[in-house]
Amino acid sequence: MKNLKKIESSLETIKNDIKEFYDPKIWGFLTLNGVCIDIETTQIQWIFAKYKAIDEIVMFYVDVKLSQTVPTITDIIPSAIISQREIVDMFGINIEDSQKGLYLDEDSLSTPLAGCGI
Amino acid sequence: MKKTITIPLGSQHISLLEPVKFRFVCENEKIIDVSSDVGFVHRGIERACATKFTFEKIPYVVARICGLCAITHSLCYTQAVENLLDGEVSLKAKYLRILLVELDRIHSHMLCLSHVSENAGFEAMFMQIMGDREYVMSLQEMITGNRVQFDYISIGGVNRDIDTNISSQIKKNLTIIKQKVYDYIEQFENNWSLSLKYKNIGKLSLDMAYQYNAIGPLARACGLETDVRSESAYLPYVDVGYKMITRSNGDIYDRNMVRLYEILNSIQMCENIVDGLPSGEIYTKLKGKPNGESLVRLEAPRGELMYYIKGSGKPLLDRVRIKTPTFSSIPAFIEVFKGSDYGDAPAILASFDPCMSCTAK
Amino acid sequence: MKSSIIQAFKNLLSKPITIDYPASPIIKPFGYRGLIKYEETECIYCLKCEKACPPEAILFVKTDNPSSNEKNKKSLEYLYNPYLCIYCQECVRACPKPSLALWQSEEKPSSGIMEDKVNEKWFEIENLKRGDKL
């Protein structure tokens, strides 16, 4: 896709990368997203869009395994808390300071999107 | 001895239209802390789109996420898939798509305004706005065959055409509605018990709007100039006469005014489309299967809607991610509640216009 | 304030705008979306309508007494469920002979209020068909 710019990062440097990049008056935070690559790996994406520009979108991405913990960005962007809670419910990945239970109850099917829907 | 008390605005309440649960921690009627629960209507649509339905059937599945903004979900997904196939949609189909999205915006804003007047105690105005909304619903039934779930958009164009009979009826109905909206503006500007008592209540300042990423009419009432109709090039909004409407105070009165003037702008856009509709085909066949990543945004009545899809050349897609406008506004709601009186909470919630079936998909 | 008093008097003296159905009839618009109709003698059994339907309301199942159409090589029979159908016309658009073999009429579907468990037999047929494929 023409206007989508993807930047690769790693678990240790992602928080610093976002802190240097983000300016609340120029960039608007859209959401977090998770894509299943294979049975053990999930790709987590942070998506931003520019105000007053036509279709300029930037995406940071990291490949994460099930046993690792992703750092939280709620001290830089307070409205990311709800997207982080959704990723914990749907994929089963650990994110700091985000609890389970946004959509699913305790006695229902858990992590429906993990493992490529099998 | 404890100084605070916990009061629920629970999932069952007299003035609540949507299934959402809030727990307010109050001290002497001022709200200090809020905890919320959404997700009472979770149906697992993202998993169904990746395992059970092929990519040609998904516009019909996704339109049934919400009743008020059904056509915006369908259109945003279709535009994301058309990015990955080869072929071009004709200009006439794009104009017809804008016509239906703007008619949808008119009736959704009228529903929100009638709910706001009911919360203020003016029940006669609620019934009058709902009665006038029937002019728009009968237009939609004439164009597409249904009042709420249109099933109008398919990959490559639209399903039905409009002829001279329908165009003259559209202009007649829109002239009637325009006169009624001028009457509403006069009531909302001068009546004390309907809207003047809401000045400086439920305020969101411009700095907080930047910090919490507010979108839609909520942001435009604070002075933040953001609207996907001017930040995206998939639909020709500039040729049709679109104007951005902003206010600067950010309270409940300003949000009502933004919605009323947006209805007037949408009526003007629909009349321009019916007068200047180009000629051509309404449907072109697009070939291929989706392969790659694509991300598209669209302006729904409540804010900005985003679809991300990923395909790898097969009939079933790998991932469909849906981000709805009410989902991103929930942190801003919670911030506005802190510091206001408990008695104003239903009126503040109605002026945000939440749509919970979009949030908990 | 004055305009709302005038509006209140007008509302007092005018008729209500609610239509009291079923005492007075509702006018159907032009192009009403009704039931799907099928003509067996024109069908060529290409099975495109079964693949195109979003809720899978059309099924072709094997039968013991097939019709005398020469194109029906696998002894199939057409079944249609009006309670699952969403009346979207995708099947008519996918058919190679749209007004001859498959078309949408303006007949109103029945509402199924007095019937009990309307879809049980249909789900049994679907399970049998899925079992045949595996």
Side-chain angles (χ1 to χ4, degrees), chain A residues 1 6 24 29-34 45 49 52-55 57 79 86 102-103 112-113, chain B residues 38 42 47 210 212-213 225 231 233-234 293-295 297 304 308 319 321 327 359 361:
Chain A
M1 218 189 102
K6 294 184 76 156
F29 173 70
L30 277 182
T31 186
L32 244 74
N33 182 20
Q45 300 167 340
K52 294 187 187 167
I54 304 225
D55 271 340
I57 302 183
S79 60
E86 184 181 1
L102 184 69
Y103 286 159
L113 290 177
Chain B
V38 304
H42 179 68
R47 180 179 161 122
Y210 273 120
Y212 282 88
N213 297 116
E225 295 176 350
E231 289 171 3
Y234 286 97
E293 291 179 325
S294 159
L295 197 155
R297 307 182 290 159
E304 164 196 57
Y308 165 89
R319 174 79 168 119
R321 165 80 173 127
F327 184 74
T359 309
K361 29 176 206 314

mmCIF file of all heavy atoms in Angstrom, chain A residues 1 6 24 29-34 45 49 52-55 57 79 86 102-103 112-113, chain B residues 38 42 47 210 212-213 225 231 233-234 293-295 297 304 308 319 321 327 359 361:
data_model
loop_
_atom_site.group_PDB
_atom_site.id
_atom_site.type_symbol
_atom_site.label_atom_id
_atom_site.label_comp_id
_atom_site.label_asym_id
_atom_site.label_seq_id
_atom_site.Cartn_x
_atom_site.Cartn_y
_atom_site.Cartn_z
ATOM 1 N N MET A 1 0.844 -1.204 0.000
ATOM 2 C CA MET A 1 0.000 0.000 0.000
ATOM 3 C C MET A 1 0.867 1.237 0.000
ATOM 4 O O MET A 1 1.873 1.282 0.687
ATOM 5 C CB MET A 1 -0.838 -0.019 1.273
ATOM 6 C CG MET A 1 -2.210 0.492 1.036
ATOM 7 S SD MET A 1 -3.090 0.705 2.542
ATOM 8 C CE MET A 1 -2.980 2.417 2.756
ATOM 9 N N LYS A 6 6.123 1.352 7.357
ATOM 10 C CA LYS A 6 6.320 0.404 8.443
ATOM 11 C C LYS A 6 7.731 0.520 8.978
ATOM 12 O O LYS A 6 8.687 0.527 8.211
ATOM 13 C CB LYS A 6 6.095 -1.027 7.947
ATOM 14 C CG LYS A 6 4.673 -1.294 7.548
ATOM 15 C CD LYS A 6 4.460 -2.725 7.150
ATOM 16 C CE LYS A 6 4.412 -3.621 8.353
ATOM 17 N NZ LYS A 6 3.692 -4.849 8.125
ATOM 18 N N PRO A 24 1.822 15.172 20.497
ATOM 19 C CA PRO A 24 0.352 15.099 20.464
ATOM 20 C C PRO A 24 -0.316 16.084 19.535
ATOM 21 O O PRO A 24 -1.443 15.864 19.124
ATOM 22 C CB PRO A 24 -0.072 15.375 21.914
ATOM 23 C CG PRO A 24 1.137 15.561 22.678
ATOM 24 C CD PRO A 24 2.324 15.401 21.848
ATOM 25 N N PHE A 29 -2.883 9.095 17.794
ATOM 26 C CA PHE A 29 -2.719 7.665 17.993
ATOM 27 C C PHE A 29 -3.990 6.949 17.586
ATOM 28 O O PHE A 29 -5.072 7.311 18.028
ATOM 29 C CB PHE A 29 -2.431 7.419 19.478
ATOM 30 C CG PHE A 29 -2.410 5.973 19.863
ATOM 31 C CD1 PHE A 29 -1.394 5.137 19.436
ATOM 32 C CD2 PHE A 29 -3.399 5.447 20.657
ATOM 33 C CE1 PHE A 29 -1.377 3.819 19.792
ATOM 34 C CE2 PHE A 29 -3.384 4.120 21.024
ATOM 35 C CZ PHE A 29 -2.380 3.306 20.592
ATOM 36 N N LEU A 30 -3.921 5.947 16.713
ATOM 37 C CA LEU A 30 -5.120 5.219 16.311
ATOM 38 C C LEU A 30 -5.389 4.049 17.233
ATOM 39 O O LEU A 30 -6.335 4.041 17.980
ATOM 40 C CB LEU A 30 -4.984 4.714 14.885
ATOM 41 C CG LEU A 30 -5.311 5.702 13.773
ATOM 42 C CD1 LEU A 30 -5.169 5.039 12.445
ATOM 43 C CD2 LEU A 30 -6.699 6.190 13.918
ATOM 44 N N THR A 31 -4.557 2.996 17.160
ATOM 45 C CA THR A 31 -4.849 1.823 17.980
ATOM 46 C C THR A 31 -3.643 0.894 17.993
ATOM 47 O O THR A 31 -2.643 1.154 17.357
ATOM 48 C CB THR A 31 -6.073 1.076 17.433
ATOM 49 O OG1 THR A 31 -6.408 0.038 18.306
ATOM 50 C CG2 THR A 31 -5.770 0.501 16.095
ATOM 51 N N LEU A 32 -3.794 -0.219 18.742
ATOM 52 C CA LEU A 32 -2.825 -1.304 18.734
ATOM 53 C C LEU A 32 -3.431 -2.445 17.941
ATOM 54 O O LEU A 32 -4.636 -2.558 17.861
ATOM 55 C CB LEU A 32 -2.617 -1.829 20.160
ATOM 56 C CG LEU A 32 -1.271 -1.689 20.803
ATOM 57 C CD1 LEU A 32 -1.089 -0.282 21.184
ATOM 58 C CD2 LEU A 32 -1.198 -2.524 22.031
ATOM 59 N N ASN A 33 -2.611 -3.299 17.365
ATOM 60 C CA ASN A 33 -3.156 -4.401 16.577
ATOM 61 C C ASN A 33 -2.246 -5.599 16.735
ATOM 62 O O ASN A 33 -1.062 -5.454 16.994
ATOM 63 C CB ASN A 33 -3.223 -3.982 15.106
ATOM 64 C CG ASN A 33 -3.823 -5.049 14.245
ATOM 65 O OD1 ASN A 33 -4.507 -5.922 14.739
ATOM 66 N ND2 ASN A 33 -3.554 -4.987 12.959
ATOM 67 N N GLY A 34 -2.813 -6.793 16.594
ATOM 68 C CA GLY A 34 -1.992 -7.993 16.661
ATOM 69 C C GLY A 34 -2.296 -8.884 15.479
ATOM 70 O O GLY A 34 -3.449 -9.059 15.111
ATOM 71 N N GLN A 45 1.448 -4.313 16.500
ATOM 72 C CA GLN A 45 1.648 -3.096 15.714
ATOM 73 C C GLN A 45 1.071 -1.893 16.463
ATOM 74 O O GLN A 45 0.010 -1.985 17.052
ATOM 75 C CB GLN A 45 0.933 -3.214 14.375
ATOM 76 C CG GLN A 45 1.409 -4.368 13.544
ATOM 77 C CD GLN A 45 0.500 -4.643 12.394
ATOM 78 O OE1 GLN A 45 -0.655 -4.246 12.392
ATOM 79 N NE2 GLN A 45 0.998 -5.329 11.399
ATOM 80 N N ALA A 49 -1.598 8.256 12.858
ATOM 81 C CA ALA A 49 -2.001 8.980 11.644
ATOM 82 C C ALA A 49 -1.797 10.468 11.856
ATOM 83 O O ALA A 49 -2.032 10.974 12.944
ATOM 84 C CB ALA A 49 -3.468 8.711 11.319
ATOM 85 N N LYS A 52 -4.332 16.758 9.558
ATOM 86 C CA LYS A 52 -4.259 17.737 8.480
ATOM 87 C C LYS A 52 -3.335 17.313 7.347
ATOM 88 O O LYS A 52 -2.731 18.154 6.694
ATOM 89 C CB LYS A 52 -3.781 19.110 8.998
ATOM 90 C CG LYS A 52 -4.755 19.740 9.925
ATOM 91 C CD LYS A 52 -4.344 21.139 10.284
ATOM 92 C CE LYS A 52 -5.283 21.621 11.357
ATOM 93 N NZ LYS A 52 -4.861 22.807 12.022
ATOM 94 N N ALA A 53 -3.189 15.999 7.111
ATOM 95 C CA ALA A 53 -2.431 15.544 5.953
ATOM 96 C C ALA A 53 -3.262 14.452 5.315
ATOM 97 O O ALA A 53 -4.066 13.833 5.994
ATOM 98 C CB ALA A 53 -1.079 15.012 6.364
ATOM 99 N N ILE A 54 -3.043 14.210 4.025
ATOM 100 C CA ILE A 54 -3.932 13.267 3.345
ATOM 101 C C ILE A 54 -3.331 11.881 3.418
ATOM 102 O O ILE A 54 -2.344 11.590 2.761
ATOM 103 C CB ILE A 54 -4.126 13.691 1.886
ATOM 104 C CG1 ILE A 54 -4.634 15.110 1.906
ATOM 105 C CG2 ILE A 54 -5.056 12.783 1.188
ATOM 106 C CD1 ILE A 54 -5.752 15.407 1.017
ATOM 107 N N ASP A 55 -3.919 10.994 4.273
ATOM 108 C CA ASP A 55 -3.585 9.565 4.314
ATOM 109 C C ASP A 55 -2.120 9.294 4.621
ATOM 110 O O ASP A 55 -1.481 8.537 3.906
ATOM 111 C CB ASP A 55 -3.905 8.911 2.951
ATOM 112 C CG ASP A 55 -5.330 8.424 2.914
ATOM 113 O OD1 ASP A 55 -5.915 8.250 3.985
ATOM 114 O OD2 ASP A 55 -5.839 8.238 1.812
ATOM 115 N N ILE A 57 0.207 7.488 7.206
ATOM 116 C CA ILE A 57 0.059 6.559 8.332
ATOM 117 C C ILE A 57 1.404 5.902 8.609
ATOM 118 O O ILE A 57 2.092 5.490 7.685
ATOM 119 C CB ILE A 57 -0.994 5.503 7.976
ATOM 120 C CG1 ILE A 57 -2.291 6.217 7.661
ATOM 121 C CG2 ILE A 57 -1.188 4.545 9.099
ATOM 122 C CD1 ILE A 57 -3.418 5.343 7.369
ATOM 123 N N SER A 79 -4.513 7.149 26.428
ATOM 124 C CA SER A 79 -5.700 6.487 25.895
ATOM 125 C C SER A 79 -5.385 5.131 25.295
ATOM 126 O O SER A 79 -6.250 4.522 24.699
ATOM 127 C CB SER A 79 -6.347 7.355 24.834
ATOM 128 O OG SER A 79 -5.444 7.586 23.794
ATOM 129 N N GLU A 86 -7.528 -5.121 25.210
ATOM 130 C CA GLU A 86 -8.138 -5.978 24.208
ATOM 131 C C GLU A 86 -7.136 -7.003 23.680
ATOM 132 O O GLU A 86 -7.467 -8.167 23.470
ATOM 133 C CB GLU A 86 -8.659 -5.136 23.048
ATOM 134 C CG GLU A 86 -9.373 -5.985 22.041
ATOM 135 C CD GLU A 86 -9.888 -5.217 20.857
ATOM 136 O OE1 GLU A 86 -9.684 -3.999 20.789
ATOM 137 O OE2 GLU A 86 -10.507 -5.865 20.003
ATOM 138 N N LEU A 102 -11.810 -7.621 29.638
ATOM 139 C CA LEU A 102 -12.554 -6.540 28.997
ATOM 140 C C LEU A 102 -13.775 -7.089 28.274
ATOM 141 O O LEU A 102 -14.880 -6.611 28.422
ATOM 142 C CB LEU A 102 -11.636 -5.824 28.013
ATOM 143 C CG LEU A 102 -12.230 -4.607 27.341
ATOM 144 C CD1 LEU A 102 -12.403 -3.506 28.326
ATOM 145 C CD2 LEU A 102 -11.366 -4.137 26.216
ATOM 146 N N TYR A 103 -13.586 -8.129 27.448
ATOM 147 C CA TYR A 103 -14.695 -8.676 26.681
ATOM 148 C C TYR A 103 -15.156 -10.021 27.184
ATOM 149 O O TYR A 103 -16.324 -10.354 27.119
ATOM 150 C CB TYR A 103 -14.285 -8.899 25.229
ATOM 151 C CG TYR A 103 -14.162 -7.666 24.391
ATOM 152 C CD1 TYR A 103 -13.419 -7.682 23.238
ATOM 153 C CD2 TYR A 103 -14.792 -6.494 24.737
ATOM 154 C CE1 TYR A 103 -13.303 -6.568 22.455
ATOM 155 C CE2 TYR A 103 -14.670 -5.374 23.959
ATOM 156 C CZ TYR A 103 -13.936 -5.420 22.818
ATOM 157 O OH TYR A 103 -13.812 -4.314 22.034
ATOM 158 N N PRO A 112 -9.273 -16.297 21.737
ATOM 159 C CA PRO A 112 -9.807 -16.861 20.499
ATOM 160 C C PRO A 112 -8.976 -16.630 19.261
ATOM 161 O O PRO A 112 -9.070 -17.372 18.309
ATOM 162 C CB PRO A 112 -11.168 -16.182 20.356
ATOM 163 C CG PRO A 112 -11.118 -15.013 21.218
ATOM 164 C CD PRO A 112 -10.163 -15.292 22.291
ATOM 165 N N LEU A 113 -8.127 -15.557 19.225
ATOM 166 C CA LEU A 113 -7.403 -15.274 17.994
ATOM 167 C C LEU A 113 -5.984 -15.802 18.015
ATOM 168 O O LEU A 113 -5.264 -15.661 17.051
ATOM 169 C CB LEU A 113 -7.351 -13.761 17.747
ATOM 170 C CG LEU A 113 -8.681 -13.123 17.367
ATOM 171 C CD1 LEU A 113 -8.503 -11.645 17.221
ATOM 172 C CD2 LEU A 113 -9.171 -13.690 16.084
ATOM 173 N N VAL B 38 -17.303 -2.440 29.544
ATOM 174 C CA VAL B 38 -18.013 -2.531 28.277
ATOM 175 C C VAL B 38 -17.915 -3.999 27.886
ATOM 176 O O VAL B 38 -17.272 -4.776 28.544
ATOM 177 C CB VAL B 38 -17.373 -1.633 27.206
ATOM 178 C CG1 VAL B 38 -17.309 -0.233 27.675
ATOM 179 C CG2 VAL B 38 -16.000 -2.112 26.865
ATOM 180 N N HIS B 42 -20.496 -8.878 23.258
ATOM 181 C CA HIS B 42 -19.405 -9.372 22.427
ATOM 182 C C HIS B 42 -19.857 -10.598 21.653
ATOM 183 O O HIS B 42 -20.384 -11.532 22.245
ATOM 184 C CB HIS B 42 -18.231 -9.730 23.322
ATOM 185 C CG HIS B 42 -17.066 -10.277 22.594
ATOM 186 N ND1 HIS B 42 -16.297 -9.539 21.733
ATOM 187 C CD2 HIS B 42 -16.531 -11.509 22.584
ATOM 188 C CE1 HIS B 42 -15.346 -10.282 21.248
ATOM 189 N NE2 HIS B 42 -15.454 -11.489 21.752
ATOM 190 N N ARG B 47 -13.127 -13.122 14.724
ATOM 191 C CA ARG B 47 -12.737 -14.514 14.486
ATOM 192 C C ARG B 47 -13.567 -15.131 13.375
ATOM 193 O O ARG B 47 -13.076 -15.895 12.571
ATOM 194 C CB ARG B 47 -12.899 -15.309 15.775
ATOM 195 C CG ARG B 47 -12.519 -16.746 15.583
ATOM 196 C CD ARG B 47 -12.652 -17.516 16.836
ATOM 197 N NE ARG B 47 -12.732 -18.939 16.551
ATOM 198 C CZ ARG B 47 -11.908 -19.849 17.030
ATOM 199 N NH1 ARG B 47 -10.936 -19.493 17.816
ATOM 200 N NH2 ARG B 47 -12.052 -21.109 16.731
ATOM 201 N N TYR B 210 -6.280 16.958 22.953
ATOM 202 C CA TYR B 210 -5.049 16.504 22.296
ATOM 203 C C TYR B 210 -4.457 15.328 23.039
ATOM 204 O O TYR B 210 -3.959 14.372 22.460
ATOM 205 C CB TYR B 210 -4.021 17.628 22.252
ATOM 206 C CG TYR B 210 -4.153 18.530 21.055
ATOM 207 C CD1 TYR B 210 -4.396 19.884 21.204
ATOM 208 C CD2 TYR B 210 -4.016 18.026 19.779
ATOM 209 C CE1 TYR B 210 -4.507 20.707 20.102
ATOM 210 C CE2 TYR B 210 -4.125 18.847 18.680
ATOM 211 C CZ TYR B 210 -4.369 20.187 18.852
ATOM 212 O OH TYR B 210 -4.482 20.997 17.759
ATOM 213 N N TYR B 212 -5.878 13.041 25.080
ATOM 214 C CA TYR B 212 -6.645 11.803 25.074
ATOM 215 C C TYR B 212 -7.123 11.395 23.696
ATOM 216 O O TYR B 212 -7.919 10.486 23.573
ATOM 217 C CB TYR B 212 -7.846 11.923 26.023
ATOM 218 C CG TYR B 212 -7.450 11.770 27.454
ATOM 219 C CD1 TYR B 212 -7.038 12.867 28.194
ATOM 220 C CD2 TYR B 212 -7.450 10.537 28.062
ATOM 221 C CE1 TYR B 212 -6.640 12.731 29.500
ATOM 222 C CE2 TYR B 212 -7.066 10.385 29.373
ATOM 223 C CZ TYR B 212 -6.658 11.483 30.077
ATOM 224 O OH TYR B 212 -6.260 11.347 31.370
ATOM 225 N N ASN B 213 -6.648 12.034 22.626
ATOM 226 C CA ASN B 213 -6.966 11.671 21.250
ATOM 227 C C ASN B 213 -8.462 11.586 21.001
ATOM 228 O O ASN B 213 -8.987 10.538 20.641
ATOM 229 C CB ASN B 213 -6.338 10.323 20.864
ATOM 230 C CG ASN B 213 -4.848 10.382 20.908
ATOM 231 O OD1 ASN B 213 -4.233 9.706 21.700
ATOM 232 N ND2 ASN B 213 -4.277 11.216 20.087
ATOM 233 N N GLU B 225 -9.349 20.535 15.010
ATOM 234 C CA GLU B 225 -9.876 20.404 13.660
ATOM 235 C C GLU B 225 -9.435 19.080 13.072
ATOM 236 O O GLU B 225 -8.384 18.989 12.445
ATOM 237 C CB GLU B 225 -9.366 21.545 12.795
ATOM 238 C CG GLU B 225 -9.883 22.858 13.264
ATOM 239 C CD GLU B 225 -9.290 23.979 12.465
ATOM 240 O OE1 GLU B 225 -8.356 23.728 11.686
ATOM 241 O OE2 GLU B 225 -9.748 25.102 12.646
ATOM 242 N N GLU B 231 -9.232 14.469 5.343
ATOM 243 C CA GLU B 231 -7.890 13.896 5.447
ATOM 244 C C GLU B 231 -7.755 12.622 4.642
ATOM 245 O O GLU B 231 -6.837 11.856 4.860
ATOM 246 C CB GLU B 231 -7.577 13.569 6.920
ATOM 247 C CG GLU B 231 -7.364 14.774 7.779
ATOM 248 C CD GLU B 231 -7.276 14.415 9.245
ATOM 249 O OE1 GLU B 231 -7.321 13.228 9.579
ATOM 250 O OE2 GLU B 231 -7.182 15.336 10.055
ATOM 251 N N ALA B 233 -8.510 10.599 0.602
ATOM 252 C CA ALA B 233 -8.785 10.908 -0.802
ATOM 253 C C ALA B 233 -9.570 9.817 -1.499
ATOM 254 O O ALA B 233 -9.621 9.793 -2.711
ATOM 255 C CB ALA B 233 -7.463 11.128 -1.537
ATOM 256 N N TYR B 234 -10.210 8.890 -0.758
ATOM 257 C CA TYR B 234 -10.912 7.801 -1.434
ATOM 258 C C TYR B 234 -12.244 8.232 -1.993
ATOM 259 O O TYR B 234 -12.733 7.668 -2.952
ATOM 260 C CB TYR B 234 -11.136 6.641 -0.463
ATOM 261 C CG TYR B 234 -9.888 5.866 -0.184
ATOM 262 C CD1 TYR B 234 -9.131 6.117 0.945
ATOM 263 C CD2 TYR B 234 -9.454 4.882 -1.059
ATOM 264 C CE1 TYR B 234 -7.987 5.420 1.184
ATOM 265 C CE2 TYR B 234 -8.307 4.181 -0.813
ATOM 266 C CZ TYR B 234 -7.584 4.450 0.308
ATOM 267 O OH TYR B 234 -6.439 3.758 0.560
ATOM 268 N N GLU B 293 -1.307 -6.087 2.575
ATOM 269 C CA GLU B 293 -1.905 -5.379 3.704
ATOM 270 C C GLU B 293 -2.561 -4.098 3.226
ATOM 271 O O GLU B 293 -2.085 -3.458 2.300
ATOM 272 C CB GLU B 293 -0.827 -4.977 4.719
ATOM 273 C CG GLU B 293 -0.227 -6.120 5.454
ATOM 274 C CD GLU B 293 0.830 -5.642 6.417
ATOM 275 O OE1 GLU B 293 1.540 -4.669 6.105
ATOM 276 O OE2 GLU B 293 0.948 -6.220 7.477
ATOM 277 N N SER B 294 -3.649 -3.696 3.896
ATOM 278 C CA SER B 294 -4.344 -2.483 3.478
ATOM 279 C C SER B 294 -5.042 -1.858 4.675
ATOM 280 O O SER B 294 -5.586 -2.575 5.498
ATOM 281 C CB SER B 294 -5.334 -2.859 2.393
ATOM 282 O OG SER B 294 -6.323 -1.916 2.258
ATOM 283 N N LEU B 295 -5.045 -0.528 4.772
ATOM 284 C CA LEU B 295 -5.613 0.174 5.924
ATOM 285 C C LEU B 295 -6.401 1.373 5.421
ATOM 286 O O LEU B 295 -5.852 2.204 4.708
ATOM 287 C CB LEU B 295 -4.474 0.643 6.830
ATOM 288 C CG LEU B 295 -4.756 1.057 8.259
ATOM 289 C CD1 LEU B 295 -3.517 0.881 9.069
ATOM 290 C CD2 LEU B 295 -5.190 2.453 8.385
ATOM 291 N N ARG B 297 -9.554 4.495 6.371
ATOM 292 C CA ARG B 297 -10.363 5.149 7.399
ATOM 293 C C ARG B 297 -11.569 5.816 6.747
ATOM 294 O O ARG B 297 -11.520 6.186 5.585
ATOM 295 C CB ARG B 297 -9.549 6.223 8.116
ATOM 296 C CG ARG B 297 -8.246 5.732 8.668
ATOM 297 C CD ARG B 297 -7.510 6.802 9.395
ATOM 298 N NE ARG B 297 -7.002 7.828 8.513
ATOM 299 C CZ ARG B 297 -6.675 9.043 8.917
ATOM 300 N NH1 ARG B 297 -6.827 9.397 10.158
ATOM 301 N NH2 ARG B 297 -6.213 9.915 8.062
ATOM 302 N N GLU B 304 -14.143 8.446 13.805
ATOM 303 C CA GLU B 304 -13.315 7.880 12.761
ATOM 304 C C GLU B 304 -13.294 6.352 12.878
ATOM 305 O O GLU B 304 -13.028 5.813 13.921
ATOM 306 C CB GLU B 304 -11.924 8.453 12.947
ATOM 307 C CG GLU B 304 -10.823 7.746 12.238
ATOM 308 C CD GLU B 304 -9.499 8.154 12.809
ATOM 309 O OE1 GLU B 304 -9.297 7.999 14.010
ATOM 310 O OE2 GLU B 304 -8.676 8.644 12.054
ATOM 311 N N TYR B 308 -8.310 -2.698 8.959
ATOM 312 C CA TYR B 308 -7.002 -3.183 8.507
ATOM 313 C C TYR B 308 -7.209 -4.620 8.080
ATOM 314 O O TYR B 308 -7.727 -5.413 8.858
ATOM 315 C CB TYR B 308 -6.013 -3.115 9.665
ATOM 316 C CG TYR B 308 -4.749 -3.904 9.463
ATOM 317 C CD1 TYR B 308 -3.647 -3.337 8.846
ATOM 318 C CD2 TYR B 308 -4.649 -5.209 9.910
ATOM 319 C CE1 TYR B 308 -2.497 -4.061 8.661
ATOM 320 C CE2 TYR B 308 -3.497 -5.935 9.731
ATOM 321 C CZ TYR B 308 -2.420 -5.355 9.102
ATOM 322 O OH TYR B 308 -1.275 -6.076 8.921
ATOM 323 N N ARG B 319 -6.419 -11.751 8.560
ATOM 324 C CA ARG B 319 -6.758 -10.950 9.725
ATOM 325 C C ARG B 319 -7.623 -9.773 9.298
ATOM 326 O O ARG B 319 -7.327 -9.136 8.304
ATOM 327 C CB ARG B 319 -5.463 -10.435 10.352
ATOM 328 C CG ARG B 319 -5.633 -9.467 11.480
ATOM 329 C CD ARG B 319 -5.977 -10.168 12.756
ATOM 330 N NE ARG B 319 -5.857 -9.276 13.893
ATOM 331 C CZ ARG B 319 -6.863 -8.955 14.695
ATOM 332 N NH1 ARG B 319 -8.035 -9.443 14.509
ATOM 333 N NH2 ARG B 319 -6.661 -8.146 15.712
ATOM 334 N N ARG B 321 -9.044 -6.347 11.247
ATOM 335 C CA ARG B 321 -9.041 -5.613 12.504
ATOM 336 C C ARG B 321 -9.973 -4.419 12.357
ATOM 337 O O ARG B 321 -9.849 -3.658 11.409
ATOM 338 C CB ARG B 321 -7.631 -5.145 12.823
ATOM 339 C CG ARG B 321 -7.527 -4.076 13.887
ATOM 340 C CD ARG B 321 -7.624 -4.642 15.269
ATOM 341 N NE ARG B 321 -7.350 -3.639 16.281
ATOM 342 C CZ ARG B 321 -8.158 -3.367 17.292
ATOM 343 N NH1 ARG B 321 -9.275 -3.984 17.423
ATOM 344 N NH2 ARG B 321 -7.806 -2.459 18.175
ATOM 345 N N PHE B 327 -14.976 3.155 20.744
ATOM 346 C CA PHE B 327 -13.906 2.449 21.439
ATOM 347 C C PHE B 327 -12.766 3.390 21.789
ATOM 348 O O PHE B 327 -12.182 3.332 22.867
ATOM 349 C CB PHE B 327 -13.429 1.329 20.514
ATOM 350 C CG PHE B 327 -12.398 0.431 21.099
ATOM 351 C CD1 PHE B 327 -12.738 -0.503 22.046
ATOM 352 C CD2 PHE B 327 -11.094 0.493 20.684
ATOM 353 C CE1 PHE B 327 -11.796 -1.352 22.566
ATOM 354 C CE2 PHE B 327 -10.150 -0.345 21.197
ATOM 355 C CZ PHE B 327 -10.495 -1.268 22.136
ATOM 356 N N THR B 359 -18.713 -1.065 19.898
ATOM 357 C CA THR B 359 -17.532 -1.184 20.734
ATOM 358 C C THR B 359 -17.213 -2.636 21.028
ATOM 359 O O THR B 359 -16.076 -3.071 20.912
ATOM 360 C CB THR B 359 -17.790 -0.482 22.073
ATOM 361 O OG1 THR B 359 -18.253 0.804 21.825
ATOM 362 C CG2 THR B 359 -16.544 -0.412 22.880
ATOM 363 N N LYS B 361 -17.432 -5.827 19.700
ATOM 364 C CA LYS B 361 -17.844 -6.581 18.548
ATOM 365 C C LYS B 361 -17.541 -8.037 18.770
ATOM 366 O O LYS B 361 -17.912 -8.859 17.997
ATOM 367 C CB LYS B 361 -17.146 -6.053 17.317
ATOM 368 C CG LYS B 361 -15.854 -5.485 17.706
ATOM 369 C CD LYS B 361 -15.027 -5.019 16.646
ATOM 370 C CE LYS B 361 -13.606 -5.089 17.120
ATOM 371 N NZ LYS B 361 -13.393 -4.557 18.448
#
